[in-house]
Structures are given as structure tokens and as C-alpha cells.
Amino acid sequence: MDLFDLKGKTALVTGGNGGIGLGMARGLTAAGARVAIAGRDGSKNAAAVKELGGNALSVTADLKDEKACRAMVEEAAKHLGRLDILVNNAGTNVRKRPEEYSLEEWKLVLDTNLTSAFVASQAAYPHLKRASGGKIVNIGSMMSLFGAAFVAPYGASKGGIVQLTRALACAWARDNIQVNAVLPGWIDTALTQRARKDIPGLHENVLRRTPAGRWGEPGDLSGIAVFLCSKASDFVTGTAIPVDGGYSSQG
Ligand SMILES: NC(=O)c1ccc[n+]([C@@H]2O[C@H](COP(=O)([O-])OP(=O)(O)OC[C@H]3O[C@@H](n4cnc5c(N)ncnc54)[C@H](OP(=O)(O)O)[C@@H]3O)[C@@H](O)[C@H]2O)c1
């Protein structure tokens, strides 16, 4: 038996059209899963589907919207024929000092990063149960663990992701559904390329502060996705696993 084999399994990866989500979608596809990716940008979705090849498909949806989020899960389950795996990866950030945020900005970040993960998980639950079990992977951050001056809503959303993960893991363990979080360190994606422009010295600080001495690549997240979505992790639930080149281990 291959513990990491995902042949016959289907997965929905939100924000799977680029960055970390696409890195995870690549891993799941290589392990044999049929993958649906979701994002707002139709052309990014199409390019990702082309890259993933085979039977991949995309759903265009803005996950800030509850109805769109639920409809995304139904559409993916319908086209995939079943749903075994949900990766809640879509995310965004607005960087400023806490006293400068509008409530709209706060809600934008919380709705995108945290509420969408809750709503999508709720919508996926009956499908996972129907499949006799399943896997949910939520994407946290180093900001699930640490504070920083410019991330009030982002840090709140990523701290919330860890507690949401634990709550779902406890509630759905008897349904054979494992729910875990992944906490990426600094990964080179569109999100952090923007941050590098906004924050002077960020690039050098990441290199200095990360024991591995480099930025992560989206491909660094492929293996953890396969592990947490395969039989290999059937007794692993409620965890929050850093994939950070040692960043969170260094004092
Ligand atoms: N890069 C890092 O260093 C790092 C570190 C820790 C955690 N993370 C987390 O990893 C996740 C992925 O980030 P990334 O770095 O890969 O950034 P990214 O390349 O900007 O990817 C973000 C993804 O989310 C999708 N998305 C954003 N808002 C959405 C919405 N309202 N509805 C649907 N899809 C939406 C985007 O697709 P569309 O634009 O097409 O909608 C895109 O696919 C996020 O949760 C982020 O917080 C990243």
C-alpha cells in the first residue's frame, strides 16, 4: 500500500491559481488526485488548469461572498463527482498600523482569510461524510504564532485559522475527517512580492532570520499537502505545522 497515493481522490484548493495554493495543487495532482482550483481571476484560473493538466478544473468565485463560497463547493463537488479534500488557502493582506484601518479593510481580510474557510468547510462537510471521511487543510501563517505592528486583521485571521482548525478537528474526528493547519514561513509569491516592495529591508531580514537562509518556494508546500491529504496522516488531526525553513524555531 502506498501511504501517499491519492489516485481516485478529488480535491478543491481555494486560491489554487497561483503561489502556495498552486504549489499544493501540483503536489496533490502528482500524487494522483483530481484537483479543482478556485479564484476570482478567470485568466489565472485557466493558466493554472493548463499547467496542472489532465483532469484539473477551475471554479471562478469571490470567496468573501458567502453564497459564492457555498456555490463554489457545490460546483466543484458536482464536476469532480465527489469531494475528499478541501484546502482553504485563499488569502489576502492589507498592511498598515492598527489605528489606520477602516472597518471595511478589517472585514475584507477576515472574510477572505477566515470566514471563507469556515463557510467552505461547512459546505464541504456533507460531501466529505458521503465519501466516508476526508481531509481539510487550512493555511495559517507565522502570524498565527507571532505579532507584528502592520498585520492586525491578518494576524487575527491567521490566529483564528488555528483555533478553527482545532474546533473542526474535534467536531469531525468521528466522521473520519482530519483537519489540520499549515503555517508557511516566508514564501516567494505575488503576496510577498508586494510586501517586499512595501517594506524596505524585508528581503534581507527574511534571509537573515530564516535558518535555512532562503525564501521558501510554492513547491516547498507540495509535500505537506500530500501528507496531510493522504492516508499517511489518518491519525493526525488538529495540528498546526510550520513549513518555514526553521523560522519559528529560532529565538
Ligand atoms: N507567501 C507567504 O509568505 C505566506 C506566508 C504565510 C501564509 N501565506 C498564506 O498563503 C495563502 C496563499 O498566499 P500566497 O502567498 O500564495 O499569495 P497569492 O499568490 O497572492 O495567492 C492568493 C490566492 O488567493 C486567491 N484569492 C484572494 N482573494 C480571494 C477571494 N476573495 N476569492 C477567491 N480567491 C481569492 C487568489 O486568487 P485570485 O486573485 O484569482 O482571486 C490567489 O490564488 C494565503 O492564505 C496567505 O495568507 C502566505
Side-chain angles (χ1 to χ4, degrees), residues 21-240:
L22 184 54
M24 293 187 132
R26 279 194 205 109
L28 298 178
T29 302
R34 185 170 182 217
V35 175
I37 52 122
R40 292 162 302 179
D41 184 326
S43 59
K44 271 163 65 184
N45 286 350
V49 164
K50 195 168 165 203
E51 192 205 309
L52 292 169
N55 292 321
L57 59 101
S58 70
V59 181
T60 303
D62 185 341
L63 304 186
K64 290 193 299 299
D65 179 72
E66 183 200 345
K67 277 201 187 110
C69 197
R70 291 188 192 282
M72 163 197 69
V73 172
E74 297 313 321
E75 195 179 330
K78 185 171 142 210
H79 290 293
L80 293 168
R82 58 184 282 152
L83 191 62
D84 303 285
I85 295 162
L86 170 67
V87 180
N88 287 309
N89 161 80
T92 194
N93 196 2
V94 177
R95 289 182 186 82
K96 43 176 79 173
R97 293 191 57 80
E99 61 271 28
E100 290 167 356
Y101 285 101
S102 67
L103 192 58
E104 283 66 35
E105 289 166 329
W106 170 270
K107 284 183 177 160
L108 167 79
V109 177
L110 268 290
D111 288 352
T112 307
N113 296 3
L114 181 59
T115 308
S116 78
F118 169 66
V119 171
S121 299
Q122 210 181 42
Y125 177 62
H127 295 285
L128 302 183
K129 263 183 87 166
R130 204 167 303 132
S132 304
K135 307 281 187 176
I136 298 178
V137 179
N138 296 321
I139 308 306
S141 159
M142 289 298 102
M143 296 302 139
S144 302
L145 305 172
F146 304 120
F150 289 82
V151 297
Y154 186 83
S157 73
K158 295 300 186 179
I161 275 283
V162 171
Q163 289 305 97
L164 173 66
T165 298
R166 292 181 177 137
L168 298 183
C170 293
W172 295 343
R174 298 285 173 114
D175 297 310
N176 190 30
I177 297 168
Q178 290 82 47
V179 188
N180 291 285
V182 171
L183 313 182
W186 287 93
I187 314 295
D188 186 12
T189 67
L191 194 70
T192 48
Q193 276 154 21
R194 221 173 59 215
R196 268 192 240 193
K197 278 195 202 121
D198 295 349
I199 308 169
L202 176 68
H203 175 64
E204 294 70 23
N205 280 342
V206 168
L207 294 182
R208 189 172 40 76
R209 176 77 175 72
T210 304
R214 66 171 177 89
W215 285 70
E217 298 293 331
D220 287 316
L221 281 298
S222 303
I224 192 81
V226 174
F227 171 61
L228 289 178
C229 295
S230 67
K231 228 183 146 22
S233 60
D234 277 357
F235 203 52
V236 179
T237 199
T239 68

